[in-house]
Every structure is written in C-alpha cells, then in structure tokens.
Amino acid sequence: MLIALRQISKVYHMEEVDVPALQGVSTNIAAGEFVAIMGHSGSGKSTLLNLLGCLDRPDSGTYLLDGCEVDRLGSDALAAIRNRKIGFVFQNFNLLPRTTALENVELPLYYGPKISSAERHDRARTLLIRLGLKDRLGHHPGQLSGGQQQRVAIARALVNQPPLILADEPTGNLDSRSADDIMALFQELNREGITIVMVTHEPDIARFAKRVIQMKDGKIV
Amino acid sequence: MTGIITLKIAMRALIRNKARSLLTALGIIIGIAAVIAVVAVGQGASVTMQKQINSMGNNLLIIFPGSQKAGGFHGGAGTQQTLTAEDGEAILKECPLVRAMTPLVRSGAQCIYRENDWATSVQGVDVSYQEVRGWDVASGSFFTDSDVRSASRVCVIGKTVAEQLFQGEDPVNQTIRIKNMPFRVMGVMTSKGSAAWGQDQDDTIIAPYTTVRRVLQNSAFNNVSQLMLSLISMDILPQAKEEISQILRQRHRLNASTDNDFTLTDMTEVTQMITQVSSLMTMLLTVIASISLVVGGIGIMNIMLVAVSERTREIGLRLAIGARRRDILMQFLAEAVALSGAGGLIGIALGISTANIIARINHWPVMVSPGAVLIALTFSAGVGIFFGFYPAWRAARLNPIESLRRE
C-alpha cells in the first residue's frame, strides 16, 4: 500500500470559528493507482491533497506513505519526502518567471542529494525532450503556451523519479485539447507505474482516472 | 544546496533585476567608496609628513642653549650662550646612546659666483653632520676633519644654491664668495626636498663650524647655536635625554636648585601631533562610514522585504518541491549578502579610482591600504547578513499552502 490514511481529522481555526475540513477520513491508495478526488469547493479535497503532499499535518489520525509514518516526522524530514517521493502539479503551473524551462525542471534537484551540474542538465533535458519540448528548453514560461507550461511543470515533478504525483486541478487553466493531452500524459505515466492522485471538480477529467473518490463535508462518500 | 550554488543562484536573481539591484547597492557603494578614497588620501598625506620628519635626520635630538634668566625676566631660547662644541664631544664620549654628534652654528650670508648672487644661510658643522642628518654628497666630496681643525675656507652647497649660483655649470672645485670671502666648493649635496614646515632644505651652504665662527661670525667665543645628536635608537629617547642632561649639568656646574641652561628637542612632539590628527580623521571617517553603511543596509532590508512578498509563490513552490526552511533562509540571506558584497566591491573599485584621480589632479600621494579594503569588504558583507536576516527569516517562516495560493 503506497498511501494509508487512518481517521484523519483536520480543523481550521478562523476568527473564533472552527471549520472542520476533514472528519475522520480513512482510505488506502495502492501503488500504481490513478485516483481522482472529486467534490464541491469546501468538501475538503484540497485539504486532503495538502496532507497527502506533506505540506500540512493532520490534527489527529495517522498517515503512512510508503510504509513511513509521516505525521510524526519533523519539518526537514517532510521536506526530504516532498523532494524524493512526491511530485507536485498545480493548476497555475507555478513555474518561476524569467527562468528557462530547463532551469525550472532542474529546481528540485538542488534540494536533493548532491549531483553534478552536468547530470542535473542531463536529467532535465532528457525529461523535457521526452515530453515533447525539445525546442523549448531555453524558453521562459511567458514564451510557452498553457499546455507547454504544464508539461514543463510535469517534467519538474518527475525529475526526482518520485513514486507519487499529486495534481491539484491540473487542467483548470487549460483549453480542452491541451487538457486531454495532459490527461493522456498522466495515463501514460500511470502505465509506467507512477501513482497519481488528482483533485478535480470536472467529471470529464475524472473520467481519465481508474478510481474516483467523492468527498463531501470533510468525509469520503 | 552548497554555498557556491546558493550564491550563484542569488547572483542570478539580482541580475534579473539589474536596475533595482544597482540602486539598492548604491548606498553601500557610495559609503565604501568615500571611505576608501579619503583613507587613501589621508594615509598618503600622513606618510609624506612622516617622510619629511625623517628627512630631518636619523633619530635626531637637538640641544639648544637655554633661555637667559635675569631678575625674573626670561629671554627667548638660545639667548644664553653656554653650549660649546666641547660639550657635544663630551656627550659623544660619555653617553653610549649617542651615535654621532655635530655642533651647528648659523650665519646668513650673501654668496656670489661671477655675476650671480644668492642670499642663503650658512651652516657651520662638523664632518659627522652627514651621518646625523643622513645626508650625502651627490657630487664632489664633503670637507674633512682636517678642514674643520684648520678652519679651511671650504664648503659644500645644497642643490638649490648650486642651481641659483652656477646655473648648470659644475660647482665642484669652483670658488664662490661668501660675505666677500673666497670659499672653495668641494661638493654638492643630494636633494632633501622641503621640511615638514615647508622650508627648502636644499637652500643652504655647509661649511666647517670652525670656519663659520671665525671667518663669518668673526667671533672669539666658543659657543654654538645648537648641538645635533643622532641616537642609536628612538626607543631609548627618555633614557638618553636623562643621561645627556646629567652630563651637561655636570659640565656647566649647575647645582640641584638651578634650572637647565639648555633645552633638548626631539621630533616626537611633531610625530604625536600628526598621529593625533590622523586618528581624529579615522574616527570621523568611521562615523561617516557607519552611517552610510546603516543607511545602505536599511535600503537592502527594504528591497529584500519587497522581494520576499513579490516572490511568495516562488517560496511556496520551493518548499513544496523539497526546500527546507533553512534553504529558503540561506537563499534570501545570500541575495542580501551578494547585494551588499557586490556593492562593497564596486565601492572599493570606485574609491581607489577616485583616490587616484585626486592624486593626479592635486599631486598628492595616495596610499590604498589592503587593511582598509579588507575591512570595507568584511563590513559590507556583514551589513548584508545583519539587514538581510529579518527578510530572509520572514521568507523561511511562510506557510507553503498559503504561499502557493497567493496570486
């Protein structure tokens, strides 16, 4: 089991009002799955994704990622897990402006084990070429289309060869053709054994996943 | 991330905002440049002064006759005519701290060579004058002991006198007239330049003191205007002064209740004054430098705070892809240090060139000391760390989830 969640609860404190975001969520995601988490805004799906991504900690419950009890780890250890086990893909791409595609993809390698700059370039270039961006290595995000930017972001997520990719509305800013392309790419990566967990509110996009988790009011339904 | 990579990334971030980085660093640049330039000029001046003082002579100690005192009335220094060449010889013999001694008698005189004439001073000295003042002949030779003993009418002339009287001709072995008496020129001294107070040291004629006294002053007395001594070292100055005083008091038969009838003068007072002036300058500069560095540092802090809030999303992303809080802290700290360090380097370069321009225009010597450069660089980097820390700490404390959501 790659991901095992047991009775995860999370409450946000907002101006004297407690907003429960997750109320005792338990679920398992096996290695090699392609899961879409669906639900309305406020259903807790983003909170769940943040917890899965080790960006946040649950108030109670346990979270096992790849056999490791991550809710007990310190912030440096969590950073290392984010670096090596998880690749993030965002709705707004989050590429560094005025920085080339190649440099954007290299970014996670600076925070991992030390490697030579030649190897860093090599790995980033190989991935970008594989994702069809051979002619765009030196382009800045501003010079790329939305679909191309998301490909660069996916290359960045893959550069440390993580077992898990977490995607938050990856097609939210894309036209339908580019969206289909990105989903096809996800399916291809999934076939190669990478586990993908994706948050979306579009049923058309959720269709591409193998399994759909529906959320409502902080619970899985 | 290693330090070099961090610094490289920081430099790249600064280059992306060229104009802003330059304007931010300007405070540091101007502060450092001003300090380097003024220190260079100040040190150049101080070294020149020191050189001029040293040109007075080697570990020089001068004895003047004391002031005359009669019925409560003080005459000026030198009014008492008690000092003799024999006093000097006794000091040389009895005090091992004295290396060389020459008596000195002065006389002003009109000198004539053919149709040229020149009014200058004539110094009557002993042969050891060369050693006491550290002054050699450039051409010809100095007069000898036997010239002194026999009060020969010979002399050695300074460079200015040689130029004025001979105008290019070789003065050696020519005869000039001093107060209408013929003197044979034996040599020309090397140039010593001007003294600390601006007097031209080369505008002089040097002759045996015996000759000057007998022929020029027409004096039957034995007294001299001063005794110039060269000590073996300046470190033993107080001890030497004490011993010389004892010897002179004994020779002049002064009892315990009588004041000295002579005055000992050395160059330490002048040196002290110069040191005082230069240390005051240094203090003033340190204050100015500190103010400009603080102002520059606040500028850096301000712009780094702006950078942190502009790049909140970048910080969130970096945290998401595995940066530790320490990495974020170091990244922004490195940018602040790179900014102030580069400002320091540019400031040093600017300061050195400004100093050189000042030197070129005013013909002042400048001395850029490596110490000042090193201190400037250390301080500018220190300013970066000090004022960059707060913005960097704020960046490192950001919540990644909220940062990523920021538009």
Side-chain angles (χ1 to χ4, degrees):
Chain A
M1 209 48 61
L2 184 66
I3 293 169
L5 297 175
R6 291 289 165 268
Q7 291 300 320
I8 296 285
S9 292
K10 180 83 191 173
V11 178
Y12 285 120
H13 309 281
M14 289 171 132
E15 293 168 14
E16 297 171 30
V17 188
D18 286 354
V19 182
L22 292 176
Q23 306 183 44
V25 170
S26 299
T27 190
N28 291 330
I29 296 171
E33 278 202 81
F34 185 174
V35 178
I37 302 173
M38 293 197 68
H40 299 291
S41 60
S43 62
K45 57 185 195 307
S46 289
T47 308
L48 183 59
L49 198 74
N50 288 336
L51 286 171
L52 289 175
C54 300
L55 291 169
D56 209 349
R57 269 181 244 251
D59 294 335
S60 66
T62 56
Y63 169 22
L64 279 130
L65 174 64
D66 211 6
C68 180
E69 212 170 315
V70 290
D71 50 291
R72 296 239 178 124
L73 293 177
S75 70
D76 282 5
L78 286 179
I81 285 187
R82 289 198 295 267
N83 183 242
R84 263 147 264 178
K85 300 219 162 156
I86 302 167
F88 286 93
V89 177
F90 305 93
Q91 177 175 359
N92 53 14
F93 322 130
N94 276 326
L95 297 174
L96 297 194
R98 283 181 284 178
T99 305
T100 64
L102 198 67
E103 286 171 325
N104 263 296
V105 175
E106 284 176 16
L107 212 53
L109 297 174
Y110 285 108
Y111 299 111
K114 212 178 162 225
I115 57 168
S116 70
S117 64
E119 196 189 339
R120 207 161 45 225
H121 292 318
D122 217 46
R123 280 170 68 173
R125 188 185 297 113
T126 311
L127 263 172
L128 281 168
I129 292 170
R130 213 198 116 187
L131 298 190
L133 293 165
K134 192 169 183 247
D135 309 325
R136 299 284 183 271
L137 299 178
H139 285 54
H140 292 173
Q143 301 165 314
L144 299 173
S145 72
Q148 286 169 334
Q149 289 188 54
Q150 195 60 299
R151 276 166 193 275
V152 174
I154 291 169
R156 182 181 61 196
L158 292 170
V159 76
N160 260 331
Q161 295 157 337
L164 175 65
I165 287 209
L166 298 176
D168 188 1
E169 305 271 11
T171 57
N173 283 8
L174 300 178
D175 59 75
S176 61
R177 232 189 96 197
S178 304
D180 287 354
D181 283 351
I182 293 296
M183 282 304 110
L185 178 59
F186 272 11
Q187 284 181 321
E188 190 190 327
L189 293 171
N190 180 239
R191 270 197 295 279
E192 286 167 18
I194 296 172
T195 311
I196 298 174
V197 178
M198 166 178 82
V199 162
T200 184
H201 62 270
E202 294 174 70
D204 281 355
I205 295 301
R207 238 178 349 103
F208 288 91
K210 291 179 185 164
R211 172 154 77 104
V212 175
I213 294 176
Q214 277 287 350
M215 290 199 68
K216 196 180 175 188
D217 299 333
K219 288 177 189 145
I220 294 177
V221 292
Chain B
M1 272 216 260
T2 64
I4 297 162
I5 293 179
T6 312
L7 215 58
K8 234 194 251 173
I9 290 173
M11 288 306 286
R12 219 179 294 163
L14 295 180
I15 288 163
R16 247 174 239 146
N17 275 312
K18 274 188 216 79
R20 185 160 95 180
S21 302
L22 189 68
L23 287 173
T24 308
L26 211 54
I28 304 274
I29 293 174
I30 291 171
I32 295 284
V35 172
I36 293 282
V38 181
V39 165
V41 172
Q43 281 205 327
S46 154
V47 164
T48 312
M49 292 278 264
Q50 200 62 55
K51 227 185 251 166
Q52 282 174 340
I53 287 169
N54 290 343
S55 79
M56 291 291 300
N58 296 325
N59 304 331
L60 196 62
L61 180 65
I62 301 174
I63 309 173
F64 291 103
S67 60
Q68 206 158 29
K69 196 157 64 168
F73 176 78
H74 264 278
T79 46
Q80 225 170 354
Q81 312 204 322
T82 50
L83 216 51
T84 63
E86 286 70 36
D87 284 336
E89 268 146 33
I91 291 166
L92 188 61
K93 214 163 73 187
E94 290 170 38
C95 180
L97 302 176
V98 177
R99 191 178 54 192
M101 182 284 301
T102 175
L104 189 137
V105 290
R106 277 183 203 283
S107 173
Q110 194 74 20
C111 315
I112 299 165
Y113 174 72
R114 294 197 183 141
E115 69 275 15
N116 302 326
D117 70 323
W118 184 248
T120 185
S121 73
V122 179
Q123 300 186 60
V125 297
D126 205 342
V127 177
S128 53
Y129 181 75
Q130 290 175 98
E131 190 185 346
V132 172
R133 292 217 49 195
W135 201 1
D136 295 323
V137 284
S139 64
S141 61
F142 208 79
F143 50 78
T144 61
D145 280 325
S146 74
D147 290 324
V148 175
R149 271 195 305 275
S150 59
S152 313
R153 293 184 182 188
V154 292
C155 68
V156 182
I157 59 177
K159 196 162 153 277
T160 306
V161 176
E163 279 164 8
Q164 293 298 334
L165 286 184
F166 291 92
Q167 297 179 347
E169 227 177 299
D170 182 12
V172 177
N173 282 327
Q174 300 294 337
T175 302
I176 58 172
R177 298 176 77 81
I178 305 173
K179 279 196 177 165
N180 253 341
M181 274 164 285
F183 276 73
R184 191 162 61 86
V185 177
M186 295 191 71
V188 180
M189 301 303 283
T190 55
S191 174
K192 242 190 192 301
S194 54
W197 42 87
Q199 178 203 13
D200 181 5
Q201 299 184 82
D202 297 324
D203 185 8
T204 191
I205 291 173
I206 301 159
Y209 73 98
T210 45
T211 317
V212 172
R213 196 157 57 194
R214 250 179 255 163
V215 178
L216 296 179
Q217 294 185 329
N218 213 353
S219 161
F221 295 111
N222 247 353
N223 64 299
V224 295
S225 7
Q226 50 179 273
L227 292 171
M228 292 176 99
L229 309 178
S230 174
L231 303 181
I232 55 170
S233 151
M234 234 31 194
D235 302 334
I236 46 85
L237 180 70
Q239 196 193 339
K241 274 179 154 176
E242 183 57 40
E243 284 183 22
I244 290 162
S245 296
Q246 285 308 320
I247 293 166
L248 284 177
R249 286 182 70 85
Q250 220 166 9
R251 284 183 60 84
H252 294 179
R253 294 198 181 80
L254 303 176
N255 58 37
S257 61
T258 320
D259 287 341
N260 285 347
D261 60 354
F262 52 89
T263 321
L264 301 178
T265 308
D266 60 74
M267 291 300 134
T268 45
E269 272 175 42
V270 185
T271 313
Q272 262 170 9
M273 194 187 74
I274 289 172
T275 320
Q276 254 175 16
V277 168
S278 74
S279 74
L280 195 74
M281 274 256 285
T282 313
M283 236 168 64
L284 205 69
L285 276 170
T286 315
V287 171
I288 295 169
S290 316
I291 292 171
S292 72
L293 283 179
V294 166
V295 171
I298 291 170
I300 287 177
M301 178 138 109
N302 188 23
I303 219 70
M304 288 313 293
L305 282 172
V306 170
V308 169
S309 89
E310 269 180 357
R311 285 154 65 188
T312 301
R313 279 246 312 263
E314 174 188 329
I315 295 162
L317 172 84
R318 284 178 186 272
L319 287 169
I321 61 171
R324 294 165 301 176
R325 302 208 171 273
R326 200 182 324 156
D327 295 324
I328 303 293
L329 184 85
M330 289 312 290
Q331 182 189 343
F332 282 90
L333 209 50
E335 276 184 38
V337 172
L339 200 53
S340 65
L345 281 178
I346 297 172
I348 287 166
L350 200 67
I352 291 173
S353 26
T354 309
N356 281 322
I357 290 169
I358 292 174
R360 194 80 47 83
I361 293 173
N362 294 318
H363 303 288
W364 284 346
V366 294
M367 243 186 62
V368 178
S369 76
V373 169
L374 203 70
I375 289 171
L377 205 58
T378 316
F379 263 81
S380 53
V383 161
I385 292 174
F386 185 81
F387 288 98
F389 192 84
Y390 175 63
W393 177 76
R394 286 218 349 199
R397 240 177 28 137
L398 287 173
N399 178 330
I401 299 168
E402 283 165 24
S403 307
L404 281 166
R405 239 181 254 144
R406 180 83 75 86
E407 280 310 312

